[in-house]
Amino acid sequence: MNQKLISIAQNFQLKGEITAVENLGEGFINDTYIVKTGEGNPKYILQRKNKRIFSPIPAMMENIQKVCLHIKKKVELAGGDPMREAMTLIPAHDGKLYFLDEDEEFWAVCLFIDDTIAYDSAKTPELAYAGGRGIGKFQSLVADLKEPLTDILPGFHNIRYRFKQWDEILANDPLNRKAKVLTEIGWVESRRNEMLAFWENVENGTIPTRITHNDTKINNILFDKKGDVLCVIDLDTVLNSTVLNDFGDAMRSYTNTGAEDDETLDNVSMNIEIFRAFTRGYLEETKSFLTAKEIEYLAFSARYITFEQVLRFLMDYINGDKYYRTKSASHNLVRTRAQYKLLQSMEEQFDEMNRIVQEFC
Ligand code: GN1
Ligand code: MG
């Protein structure tokens, strides 16, 4: 067993003796492990937080703690179980929400919630409906959190900022990859004005900003065995932004009939029945507080976030794969093409997506 990981975990206020530290999941950004502490004791999630992406990490952990404590309070008031329906951060022995190791890497621990299921895709409308309610409920639970959050990811879902990065990276073209992807660059450029025009509504306040999750992939939600959403996890990206990011990013993962990095493009398309079910669940929880503008752009947000992902994967490919963890030299390009196929499918079904939103709002 990895002695280094054990000694890192020992810096946190854990119950019992550590018996194992094992790899968990395949995150693109953080390194994640499960810490076991023997019969009768809880399990824990240990993560090395990526300081090259989230900065500063202590402020990020404060953001997460504010959101967790707020949700716990509301779950308790509603008679729920705050240890299962909200994440619980475990402090280090010095009371901090992180531990800084000798290599200046940041580590954090939270409680592992047992008896839950995380899915990588939404195969049934029932699961998508439950997922929609879960994200909607998360947004309504944090809607009245008044404490300010630190922006530890400036410009995260801001397409103006993403285009600025894009223009710089394309101008540098460090590995001379640009010439190989002129078609793909055209996909991004031909949508530049449309995407910037949408984002202007957020910049000028026509679309309000609220506390949002910003990484609502289906595997960032824990379901219980009955198929209901128990707890929304992976709160690194909680920020003040638009709820549309959460809806859009969820649709990017839930509705995809293929994988995010599918090499067989025929596998990839948007499943409109999954879109319908998620939208129904989401609006049940949120239509009481969403504005007419937010509802107007709900369907478009799926295109927006999927477009942004095409741009981010392609930009990372051109930049030499510095952001996302990749499994091969072309991985980011494969992801780009697969996400573009999904985007096209959304564009084709856009009228129907808008009709569905109207049906449930
Ligand atoms: C990253 O951390 P993870 O794997 O849940 C990324 C998201 C992307 C996603 C692509 C902080 O999410 O924005 O949409 O990969 N997170 C960050 O699947 O960049
Ligand atoms: Mg994440």
Side-chain angles (χ1 to χ4, degrees):
M1 203 182 344
N2 188 331
Q3 198 48 49
K4 187 169 173 214
L5 288 171
I6 295 179
S7 54
I8 286 166
Q10 277 166 342
N11 288 286
F12 290 87
Q13 301 179 23
L14 311 183
K15 286 207 180 94
E17 283 296 306
I18 298 172
T19 55
V21 181
E22 291 156 11
N23 258 318
L24 190 75
E26 285 194 51
F28 294 3
I29 310 280
N30 297 320
D31 296 324
T32 306
Y33 306 90
I34 182 160
V35 180
K36 297 182 179 163
T37 52
E39 271 303 300
N41 289 316
K43 300 188 191 82
Y44 300 90
I45 301 285
L46 168 71
Q47 275 193 318
R48 185 177 66 90
K49 299 287 188 180
N50 191 329
K51 66 177 179 188
R52 282 155 289 277
I53 291 178
F54 308 112
S55 172
I57 301 277
M60 175 176 93
M61 296 310 300
E62 287 301 326
N63 285 350
I64 298 175
Q65 184 69 323
K66 281 179 193 167
V67 169
C68 290
L69 295 180
H70 184 79
I71 295 179
K72 275 181 190 296
K73 232 186 325 179
K74 297 187 86 169
V75 166
E76 246 176 311
L77 281 173
D81 181 349
M83 302 306 280
R84 291 182 60 74
E85 294 173 47
M87 277 175 56
T88 306
L89 296 184
I90 306 294
H93 291 302
D94 61 7
K96 293 200 176 99
L97 295 171
Y98 60 88
F99 168 71
L100 188 61
D101 73 11
E102 60 205 26
D103 303 321
E104 307 263 296
E105 293 291 343
F106 287 90
W107 297 82
V109 170
C110 66
L111 210 59
F112 176 83
I113 307 175
D114 247 324
D115 281 329
T116 56
I117 311 173
Y119 295 91
D120 278 320
S121 67
K123 294 263 184 304
T124 65
E126 289 72 27
L127 197 75
Y129 168 76
R133 289 197 60 190
I135 291 300
K137 190 163 163 219
F138 174 84
Q139 289 179 347
S140 81
L141 281 172
V142 293
D144 61 342
L145 171 58
K146 292 286 173 281
E147 288 178 75
L149 301 184
T150 307
D151 189 1
I152 49 102
L153 277 170
F156 190 51
H157 286 309
N158 172 342
I159 210 69
R160 192 176 305 284
Y161 172 78
R162 294 294 179 195
F163 271 118
K164 192 166 162 280
Q165 289 183 313
W166 166 265
D167 289 337
E168 283 166 14
I169 286 168
L170 262 68
N172 287 339
D173 192 16
L175 301 184
N176 298 318
R177 284 181 169 178
K178 210 168 87 178
K180 294 187 213 152
V181 289
L182 295 179
T183 306
E184 289 80 356
I185 290 173
W187 299 339
V188 172
E189 289 299 344
S190 62
R191 291 165 177 83
R192 185 191 279 253
N193 293 340
E194 181 186 30
M195 295 298 161
L196 284 169
F198 160 72
W199 192 251
E200 252 178 57
N201 289 293
V202 179
E203 291 170 322
N204 65 26
T206 307
I207 293 173
T209 51
R210 308 172 186 275
I211 292 177
T212 50
H213 184 282
N214 296 294
D215 192 7
T216 44
K217 282 198 291 204
I218 187 167
N219 61 11
N220 282 334
I221 289 184
L222 297 181
F223 291 79
D224 65 18
K225 300 226 160 111
K226 297 197 308 275
D228 289 328
V229 169
L230 187 68
C231 180
V232 175
I233 56 169
D234 199 357
L235 300 178
D236 295 349
T237 51
V238 284
L239 295 167
N240 288 294
S241 193
T242 155
V243 290
L244 297 173
N245 296 338
D246 288 357
F247 182 85
D249 202 29
M251 290 302 82
R252 183 181 74 79
S253 74
Y254 278 76
T255 67
N256 192 347
T257 54
E260 191 181 58
D261 59 353
D262 221 306
E263 296 197 43
T264 310
L265 293 181
D266 281 346
N267 290 342
V268 178
S269 65
M270 186 191 75
N271 181 332
I272 195 83
E273 284 317 313
I274 298 290
F275 180 87
R276 171 188 295 279
F278 186 96
T279 303
R280 182 162 71 86
Y282 176 76
L283 283 172
E284 268 178 32
E285 296 288 336
T286 57
K287 68 179 168 201
S288 62
F289 67 88
L290 292 186
T291 66
K293 274 287 164 204
E294 287 172 314
I295 291 184
E296 181 185 332
Y297 283 102
L298 209 54
F300 186 80
S301 73
R303 286 170 55 188
Y304 177 79
I305 293 287
T306 307
F307 169 82
E308 184 201 76
Q309 202 62 66
V310 172
L311 183 156
R312 288 174 69 194
F313 283 145
L314 183 56
M315 176 165 82
D316 198 36
Y317 174 75
I318 296 169
N319 201 31
D321 310 312
K322 294 206 175 76
Y323 189 95
Y324 291 110
R325 192 168 288 152
T326 49
K327 291 184 182 156
S328 72
S330 62
H331 200 174
N332 271 319
L333 189 53
V334 170
R335 288 167 170 157
T336 302
R337 291 177 178 146
Q339 290 285 289
Y340 181 66
K341 178 76 196 309
L342 179 65
L343 175 63
Q344 284 180 306
S345 176
M346 289 175 171
E347 288 171 346
E348 282 159 18
Q349 300 184 77
F350 189 50
D351 289 345
E352 182 57 17
M353 291 159 75
N354 274 317
R355 268 197 293 277
I356 289 170
V357 170
Q358 285 312 313
E359 189 181 325
F360 296 119
C361 72

